[in-house]
Amino acid sequence: MSRLAKAAVAVLAALFVCPPLLSAQEATAPAAATPAVPSAPIPYTQLRPKPAPVRRAAPARPATTKLQAPAPVVPTVVGALLPTTAQGARLATGEALPPGELEPFVDGLVRDAMAADHIAGVTVAVVQNGQVVMKKGYGFASLSPARRVDPDRTLFRLGSISKTFTWIALMKEVEAGRMGLEAPINLYLPERLQVRDQGFTQPVRVRQLMDHSAGFETRQLGHLMERRYERERPLQQYLRQERPRRARAPGEASTYSNYGVALAGAAVSYVADKPFERLVEDEIFVPLGLSRTTFREARPVRQGLPGPMSAAQAAGLSDGYRWVGGHFEARPFEYMGHIAPAGSASSTAGDMSRYMLMLLNNGTLENATVFGPVAARAFRTPLRRTAPGINGWAHGFVVYDLPGGVRGYGHDGETLSFRTRMVLAPALGLGVFIAANTETGARLTQEAPEALIRHFYTGDQSFPRAGDPALAQSAHLYDGYYLPAGRARGGLEAFVDMLRGGVSSQVTPAGRLLLGGREWTPDGDARQGRFIDTMGNQRLAFNVESDGRTFQDSSGGDLFERAGFWRRPPTLALLAGLTALAALATLGGVVTRDRREFRQTSIQSRIALLQNTQAALWLTAIALFVAWAAKTGDAAEVMYGWPHPFLVIASACALVAAALTVATVVTLPAVWRGGRRVDSWTPLRKAGFTLTVLIYGAFSAVLWTWGALSPWSG
């Protein structure tokens, strides 16, 4: 390859190795709003000295405040798993955590993470058997001025944990007989918000919003979060203006949808005839005494929008941070009030303690009963049949497969800056809430609850898990590039989703599956498509009956489909490199071509001008795509600045170049007819022109199918 060609390919490669954007599952998706299978370095528990073994003595009485619960948790009422004591386990299922040993363990876990991953602030709450065992703040809620995290006063953005309040409000309406889970959601919506048929015969039902199987495509860039409060819209206006396409039949597969949850919140509000924010305050926050939990946001009063949060709440808000250039960079407040039911809530560790105690006690705390036995059972009953270890959506709550065979429930949350997780293990009477105010906090929030349960309630486990040599024989079932089924289906956002939202899967010689930056080992027979993380408890389930064309991860947030050759980033990169090379060769020929090759017919002269224009447009488009990609290191800039002018202009240039390519295809016969030898291109130049047309044509076709030729779609 020539030096010029190598340089062109190197520049194009930059487009495909830039840092990832937000995942296709939106910024508040569960378990990883990052691509569905985020990378996983060595767990913190293996980076620090192992704490001393827990003595099997009766636990000391916690020094924290005891909250009176009217009745103990009765797991059998809601079908909680009750595993036997694991071999070598530190505590039996019925034993409580010793507070004197719990706090040092959590301290070490959190402080190691804050140092390793550069996290500004963390808040933690642990409850068990009707008591707050631990609540604590670490680091800073604000660096300028300096303000430390206070577990009772510092509000962290909850992200998608907000959805659990929405599901409680909905189930209360179900218990009251005003809504039905099997009823079409349109029965509970005003006409202008009702879901359109869009070619589907079956209506979207209430339960399909709770298990994210309504079939909506995922669109988020430029509107899921706002940097300026002036851009906020009322919930109903947002739902009407940002209505997504229906990409799949309802009930077919779970594809995580913030829009679907917001629609459910709007339905509950419509049925109850109350603004959503007031509804959850009246029905949940006030009865539970959650004075520092709110869906309202810190902004000035504005007509047509819900009122802002109180001054006391606003004073306790934590800033959100990004670690860049060796220091913390504060991000602006993330406004999400326009899609409040899906993710705008903020809370403290103290309030989340009370919330978890209520959930563990089947809807009751002290003298307040938030929901009844029907809802309590629903929140621990999966709606979907899934493979072992894969979330089946317990009426909106995530189902977790925890260490030691313990089944957990809860939700994860993610905004641009905040990472949160709430895990409830009814069999242990245990609830864990953890939140970080820095975008690098995902590893800590994801691993901490499992690390705690593994340390105290399961036997010693050796990591990494060994591979299985038999996996190599089934490599064809799993190797490939997979795209999320819930991705945007058209326009520039579809282009970004296909470019950045997929994951590659490859079987290694060691008998492991390398997928999404993690290594997985077969969980049973290598041909059955079940895998477990070599360093943790996460799982994958491939549909081997369809030759491995789909898989789901533990979150159950999306279905991943194997992409064909033309829908893979390496194919796009190859064609982009060839296009750049052809364009450079075309323009270079204008300067270096032998004078005898300038002999041409009048039509060849016009086609030469057309070819040179194409070359300039393709090079401009590719250069702008690369320049835009270089600016995607901060997901906040992508979200707030969507669509970037570089991307729109690049798409417009590519669209014109592709249209000109169609014209050159039509003129090919005229080029080859030429005329007399002395008045026509040489055969070599005709062949070169034909090759250029074929390259441009293939690149144009791929860009069209990817959605990159739609500059208006931003």
Side-chain angles (χ1 to χ4, degrees), residues 83 401-407 428 449-451 453-454 457-458 461 537:
D401 190 45
L402 301 172
V406 175
R407 172 165 285 187
L428 304 176
E450 281 87 348
I453 293 171
R454 183 179 296 113
Y457 287 102
T458 69
Q461 294 177 284
N537 212 53

Side-chain angles (χ1 to χ4, degrees), residues 314-642:
L317 273 173
S318 172
D319 291 334
Y321 289 95
R322 177 182 181 230
W323 177 262
V324 58
H327 68 280
F328 289 108
E329 180 181 277
R331 276 178 166 157
F333 187 84
E334 304 159 334
Y335 291 102
M336 296 181 65
H338 51 278
I339 193 168
S344 76
S346 303
S347 188
T348 66
D351 273 12
M352 292 303 292
S353 298
R354 296 180 63 84
Y355 183 52
M356 290 190 292
L357 288 171
M358 180 274 295
L359 290 171
L360 286 166
N361 202 43
N362 299 328
T364 299
L365 179 67
E366 298 172 345
N367 296 320
T369 297
V370 176
F371 55 78
V374 172
R377 186 175 297 108
F379 295 143
R380 300 181 198 175
T381 303
L383 285 168
R384 302 186 67 81
R385 291 184 178 181
T386 58
I390 306 299
N391 169 33
W393 294 111
H395 292 74
F397 279 68
V398 177
V399 182
Y400 298 115
D401 190 45
L402 301 172
V406 175
R407 172 165 285 187
Y409 307 88
H411 218 291
D412 301 0
E414 180 176 334
T415 69
L416 292 170
S417 302
F418 291 82
R419 304 291 185 267
T420 60
R421 197 174 198 201
M422 178 182 71
V423 175
L424 308 166
L428 304 176
L430 177 68
V432 180
F433 168 77
I434 182 167
N437 62 7
T438 312
E439 66 176 6
T440 51
R443 185 155 65 110
L444 170 64
T445 57
Q446 286 299 306
E447 292 182 2
E450 281 87 348
L452 188 155
I453 293 171
R454 183 179 296 113
H455 177 73
F456 287 102
Y457 287 102
T458 69
D460 294 333
Q461 294 177 284
S462 59
F463 295 102
R465 293 184 172 91
D468 183 354
L471 182 61
Q473 300 174 10
S474 306
H476 67 283
L477 294 175
Y478 312 117
D479 286 348
Y481 184 74
Y482 293 80
L483 290 168
R487 66 188 184 278
R489 293 293 173 155
L492 293 179
E493 190 162 357
F495 171 66
V496 173
D497 282 353
M498 291 183 67
L499 188 64
R500 308 304 306 174
V503 290
S504 295
S505 175
Q506 180 182 7
V507 174
T508 69
R512 293 174 179 167
L513 184 72
L514 183 62
L515 189 150
R518 288 185 177 184
E519 285 191 335
W520 310 79
T521 189
D523 189 15
D525 190 322
R527 295 168 298 180
Q528 292 181 346
R530 306 290 182 259
F531 293 86
I532 187 168
D533 186 357
T534 60
M535 300 299 296
N537 212 53
Q538 302 297 306
R539 284 176 166 79
L540 298 175
F542 282 78
N543 183 357
V544 293
E545 294 180 358
S546 64
D547 196 29
R549 287 191 291 270
T550 62
F551 80 84
Q552 282 190 302
D553 70 349
S554 290
S555 73
D558 210 338
L559 183 73
F560 280 73
E561 304 168 318
R562 182 184 284 179
F565 177 76
W566 296 104
R567 304 170 78 186
R568 300 180 183 184
T571 302
L572 183 66
L574 174 63
L575 289 173
L578 291 174
T579 297
L581 179 61
L584 290 169
T586 297
L587 297 179
V590 175
V591 179
T592 62
R593 185 174 296 118
D594 189 287
R595 291 184 60 82
R596 289 174 296 180
E597 296 185 35
F598 278 99
R599 294 169 180 165
Q600 54 191 352
T601 64
S602 59
I603 192 169
Q604 287 173 341
S605 175
R606 295 186 182 94
I607 292 173
L609 178 61
L610 190 67
Q611 186 184 30
N612 293 336
T613 303
Q614 273 184 291
L617 286 169
W618 280 125
L619 288 175
T620 301
I622 291 170
L624 287 172
F625 275 130
V626 173
W628 167 78
K631 294 179 175 292
T632 61
D634 185 0
E637 292 305 315
V638 180
M639 175 66 70
Y640 297 140
W642 179 263

Side-chain angles (χ1 to χ4, degrees), residues 72-86:
V73 177
V74 184
T76 53
V77 171
V78 288
L81 298 183
L82 292 169
T84 57
T85 305

